[in-house]
Amino acid sequence: MASENPFRTILKTLENPNGGGEFGSYYSLPALNDPRIDKLPYSIRILLESAIRNCDEFQVKSKDVEKILDWENTSPKQVEIPFKPARVLLQDFTGVPAVVDLACMRDAMNSLGGDSNKINPLVPVDLVIDHSVQVDVARSENAVQANMELEFQRNKERFAFLKWGSNAFDNMLVVPPGSGIVHQVNLEYLARVVFNRNGLLYPDSVVGTDSHTTMIDGLGVAGWGVGGIEAEATMLGQPMSMVLPGVVGFKLTGKLRDGMTATDLVLTVTQMLRKHGVVGKFVEFYGEGMRELSLADRATIANMSPEYGATMGFFPVDHVTLQYLKLTGRSDDTVSMIEAYLRANKMFVDYSEPESKTVYSSNLELNLEDVEPCVSGPKRPHDRVPLKEMKADWHSCLDNRVGFKGFAVPKEAQSKVAEFNFNGTPAQLRHGDVVIAAITSCTNTSNPSVMLGAALVAQKACELGLEVKPWIKTSLAPGSGVVTKYLAKSGLQKYLNQLGFSIVGYGCTTCIGNSGDIHEAVASAIVDNDLVASAVLSGNRNFEGRVHPLTRANYLASPPLVVAYALAGTVDIDFETEPIGTGKDGKQIFFRDIWPSNKEVAEVVQASVLPDMFKATYEAITKGNSMWNELSVASGTLYEWDPKSTYIHEPPYFKGMTMSPPGPHGVKDAYCLLNFGDSITTDHISPAGSIHKDSPAAKYLMERGVDRRDFNSYGSRRDNDEIMARGTFANIRIVNKHLKGEVGPKTVHIPSGEKLSVFDAAMKYRNEGRDTIILAGAEYGSGSSRDWAAKGPMLLGVKAVISKSFERIHRSNLVGMGIIPLCYKTGEDAETLGLTGEELYTIELPNNVSEIKPGQDVTVLTNNGKSFTCTLRFDTEVELAYFNHGGILQYVIRNLIKL
């Protein structure tokens, strides 16, 4: 059982250096008198402080503190440590299911005779409703209100459920819809940097249910994405079990050249780190180049940690951080407390002092002067293309066989011109033509330099007489109301409006798949002529099928470049030699004519971005808006489920649950439900976009009287397990080897040879009493952290996934749902082992969990006599405990009842 903290002797008092008494008490790292602390990366010092502060010799032990102190020697050995983050960050796509699960857990607790009120967040929970902006109305100055009204019509039930949750559960703050993107709101408002809770000071740290939670690392707050399942356990006071990570030191020198953007920098960093290999590691940035890097630029780099594969990309707190905190409206007293605490506890970087003795697991270096303009695509965020090579790269993609860099368009078809009629006017489309251009996503919309840079491009273009073709769906979705204020202050919003980049709402839009429909005539021209149409967006994800079903080529670019490509109307252009368009005086206009200098951008940022804007914006957030405030909700602490609801449905996770854990399970004579290659993303497994009219989910909705126009998206329906199970593996671009080259959300029922939807095949296997498994290649589960990418397969009856490698969060989520993750041995995969996927598979595991070890070898047998060895990817003893209980939530309930 828990005991008194053995480190209470290093609890010290922090005095206010400006007078006025004490700030509070804190656990002092210097008071340990251990020379190893000075060599620890700053990110590891945060893990150390958390372990010391939470040490109770039960959940966190003294030996865990010693493991972290000895990081230089222990991290290469993959040792396990517990971590208790200071808070949890949720957004509605993943946050609502978390609240649904908490409501279900209360019911389960109640039915097992426990106290249901024990199911309450024990750490602060911030929930931002941000994924609710579908771009239905664009290119209109009334778009914000129109889209918001449509979203409240579609999502009224979900919003009411969240409002109930904010009242029913303690320690939970819900930020209403229309306020901004979760990560920008976190950066500008929610982040504490240092907590002062009941007089105890400690570093802010956060886990969130979106992989881009890492954006907050740019502010010196340690944060990363976890599955919704892990987040729920953290909320309920369970320590996160994690492998003590290696830390890659990334040294920055020099400064960016004129005309370079933070997006150019982040795409360069992403490619470098992807090549270096940083999966499961922290990346920590340091060096003289940090002095030249704004907080917004740091946040842009930190945001894309999932794209370069790191757990987080961390920027320790320094004078730049403190300046940003003041800019965003944090009080002088708060900033003073933050600085004093971090200096006292060896967590502050001061460039006037000698360089620290920090030791890293490995090192990289980038001279910022070497960064050049670039984009990434057409199908992956780490496939960087220098802007000067874009035209040549595009033609290579048309030629190349189908893959991440290829579309296999025959030479004779590459110059095809599709004639169509747009609102009575003759128009044309070609391969590479832009049909969606979106300034969107938390990656860039929090950065005033690139947002105002885009506005300056628009101003220059308008003054020269350039226009955007009317069929290109342009949109601007700021990450918070602050952006609107500084665009208005600058006087530049009118130029964005003139080009069609009017504000559509505050939240995730095109980057998450909320593009909305493109014009019917444009869609028909693309489909009828099999064109490879393009989208250009200032986002962080461009996986095929994510942005829009009809844009096969999707490029990530800075907001100014998004405007430039919208004006050009195609990605098939060399900006150095070819004109973007013709001006009002008949002269050709080139890229260089509309691109602002760094000096121009800096001047407008200095004049337009003011502290009062942040204060006014976030004071308004706490008051909500009229549509939110008018929602009426029940007041009980147990949720009253509506069996007829197609939005909120009670999932079956705890049906038949008893106090006795079910124990571990192997797999006997299972069929392969799906046979995949490399890079199957969470978008493939659990799409968040539109519900296709011929899908099992559509059939379910129509059977319940839901009209097609009211289907909404999978993201908005993710609180209904019946729909999400049917939407699992429903991505229209998914490639399943069972289909012998055919692309789409179907599979083959092996015993009968029938080609069925994945859901129907899974139900057929279930009715026959058969387990199923999935075979996959490398990077299985990459992309956004989605708990439904694990919950869905579990509901389909999948018992194990065998792959070459897993994305970190997704592997953890599979464990949390009781699915066995296995990895082929190095150099082996389904192809080298001669597996067709048509075999029956048996995975042998002991019946007693004490006989299973993390990372042990497991034998897989097939019915045709083949056997091979895999690594069991339960990485810690705690994960084995979850497996023994049938999942992480069952584990938490049983342990809470015992208390």
Side-chain angles (χ1 to χ4, degrees), residues 600-642:
E600 288 176 282
V601 173
E603 286 175 352
V604 74
V605 169
Q606 182 70 27
S608 306
V609 184
L610 306 172
D612 285 348
M613 295 176 176
F614 293 89
K615 290 178 181 175
T617 297
Y618 289 109
E619 281 173 4
I621 272 182
T622 58
K623 297 173 184 174
N625 56 62
S626 59
M627 286 182 277
W628 172 263
N629 293 337
E630 288 167 9
L631 285 175
S632 71
V633 296
S635 59
T637 58
L638 294 176
Y639 188 67
E640 297 174 10
W641 304 97
D642 178 1

Side-chain angles (χ1 to χ4, degrees), residues 301-380:
I301 295 170
N303 177 281
M304 284 192 74
S305 294
E307 282 66 45
Y308 46 80
T311 302
M312 67 174 180
F314 187 73
F315 291 81
V317 174
D318 60 11
H319 70 284
V320 176
T321 320
L322 301 180
Q323 289 167 3
Y324 180 83
L325 291 171
K326 290 179 180 178
L327 171 68
T328 51
R330 273 77 166 197
S331 71
D332 289 344
D333 284 347
T334 297
V335 176
S336 178
M337 180 267 291
I338 289 169
E339 181 178 6
Y341 169 80
L342 294 175
R343 284 185 181 277
N345 231 7
K346 295 190 174 183
M347 294 180 180
F348 186 87
V349 176
D350 189 330
Y351 299 108
S352 65
E353 297 176 353
E355 196 169 299
S356 68
K357 306 169 186 176
T358 308
V359 173
Y360 294 107
S361 308
S362 62
N363 292 274
L364 282 174
E365 185 170 338
L366 172 65
N367 187 334
L368 297 176
E369 293 175 9
D370 294 336
V371 173
E372 59 182 340
C374 56
V375 297
S376 278
K379 301 181 185 181
R380 295 190 301 187

Side-chain angles (χ1 to χ4, degrees), residues 419-466:
E419 307 277 352
F420 69 103
N421 188 290
F422 182 80
N423 292 339
T425 304
Q428 295 179 336
L429 275 183
R430 295 172 174 82
H431 290 293
D433 277 7
V434 175
V435 296
I436 291 175
I439 299 175
T440 180
S441 168
C442 50
T443 309
N444 286 290
T445 60
S446 63
N447 193 322
S449 295
V450 292
M451 296 300 283
L452 287 165
L456 285 169
V457 169
Q459 179 188 31
K460 290 172 183 283
C462 290
E463 290 174 348
L464 289 166
L466 295 180

Side-chain angles (χ1 to χ4, degrees), residues 856-877:
Q856 75 173 51
D857 285 349
V858 169
T859 300
V860 182
L861 305 171
T862 66
N863 64 327
N864 59 6
K866 289 183 179 177
S867 71
F868 54 97
T869 303
C870 288
T871 301
L872 182 65
R873 287 299 311 277
F874 295 127
D875 290 355
T876 65
E877 295 289 346

Side-chain angles (χ1 to χ4, degrees), residues 736-758:
N736 171 16
K737 294 179 185 177
H738 282 333
L739 297 179
K740 314 294 185 191
E742 183 182 336
V743 176
K746 292 187 180 293
T747 194
V748 174
H749 177 255
I750 302 298
S752 66
E754 246 185 304
K755 187 165 68 175
L756 301 167
S757 72
V758 177

Side-chain angles (χ1 to χ4, degrees), residues 32 74 109 135 163 191 212 236 280 354 366 396 434-435 515 527 541 548 629 671 710 732 778 807 848 885 894:
L32 287 172
T74 54
M109 201 67 163
V135 188
K163 193 170 182 181
H212 293 103
L236 294 165
L366 172 65
S396 295
V434 175
V435 296
S515 308
V527 173
R541 296 276 165 81
H548 192 282
N629 293 337
Y671 279 104
D710 297 321
I732 63 170
E807 191 275 338
N848 192 325
H885 278 261
R894 291 188 180 102

